[in-house]
Amino acid sequence: MPNQPDSPETSFRVDDWESLWHLYNAYSTESNWPLDLRSQKAFAQMIEAWSLSAWLRDGQVEIAIAQPSARPIGFASLTTAFGEHPDLGRAMEIGTYLAPAARGSGLNQKLKLRALHAAKEIYGADWLVASIPLANERARRAYAKLPIAFFAYQGERPSPWYPYWRRRQFAAGTPVMLYITPLHD
């Protein structure tokens, strides 16, 4: 049975690059591994970007670790989407991945809520944004199940979100939906 997120069998580490490499080596050929991070070179570049973001105190990566094996089973990356937008303020983007055995355990929700808290309390963000390909129904359902208010955005104009949505869709190479969570009342 997969580890439950609140059980002592799961711990969390922030910016543990070695554990992220272990996760990559174990799961990068798995069908739900992020397509843009499949090659070792692309993953190395992402780790470099994430570590620079962490060094600048502009983002973090939280890794879920199964205990007692100390084996990484998932991560949530939190990066700056944009700093000071004139209409929106500051937004952080979240991305997650879970090993197949950890899916359905509630761990994805736990990682997302921990990232939401960090975005708000540590980074002072006004928004948390997830850019999810339309074809990834599992990820879209997982975000919709979170116990938080959000709205889904798919490129409707006029909107201050349109330029960011367009950039994320171009980067993904496929239609995406932004799941946007306000972090302040």
Side-chain angles (χ1 to χ4, degrees):
M1 177 176 198
N3 293 325
Q4 295 302 311
D6 292 321
S7 73
E9 292 86 28
T10 303
S11 64
F12 299 90
R13 298 181 189 160
V14 174
D15 301 334
D16 179 349
W17 313 123
E18 185 177 336
S19 289
L20 275 176
W21 275 111
H22 287 294
L23 197 65
Y24 172 84
N25 289 329
Y27 299 107
S28 63
T29 59
E30 197 264 324
S31 65
N32 284 344
W33 185 263
L35 290 175
D36 56 338
L37 300 179
R38 287 195 184 258
S39 79
Q40 188 171 13
K41 180 179 178 182
F43 193 70
Q45 289 172 335
M46 183 56 72
I47 292 244
E48 187 176 309
W50 284 339
S51 62
L52 177 60
S53 182
W55 182 76
L56 292 171
R57 300 203 37 78
D58 208 23
Q60 67 185 39
V61 178
E62 187 142 7
I63 302 95
I65 307 292
Q67 296 301 331
S69 69
R71 139 186 88 81
I73 55 173
F75 72 83
S77 63
L78 186 62
T79 56
T80 297
F82 47 81
E84 290 302 323
H85 187 282
D87 298 324
L88 300 171
R90 179 177 177 82
M92 302 291 288
E93 184 167 345
I94 184 172
T96 59
Y97 170 80
L98 288 181
R103 294 183 189 137
S105 69
L107 184 56
N108 188 38
Q109 183 178 65
K110 182 80 168 181
L111 280 166
K112 282 183 170 68
L113 293 176
R114 291 171 69 93
L116 182 143
H117 177 77
K120 183 177 180 179
E121 302 300 326
I122 297 172
Y123 301 104
D126 302 296
W127 306 92
L128 183 67
V129 182
S131 175
I132 302 175
L134 290 178
N136 191 342
E137 291 183 37
R138 176 186 283 146
R140 292 187 309 128
R141 280 192 314 269
Y143 204 92
K145 285 198 281 185
L146 292 175
I148 56 175
F150 70 90
F151 66 93
Y153 177 80
Q154 196 174 343
E156 300 83 10
R157 290 198 227 183
S159 169
W161 290 102
Y162 181 77
Y164 188 74
W165 169 82
R166 188 172 168 175
R167 182 170 53 134
R168 294 305 293 137
Q169 184 158 285
F170 178 78
T174 188
V176 301
M177 184 173 295
L178 298 183
Y179 287 78
I180 303 168
T181 302
L183 298 180
H184 299 290
D185 299 328

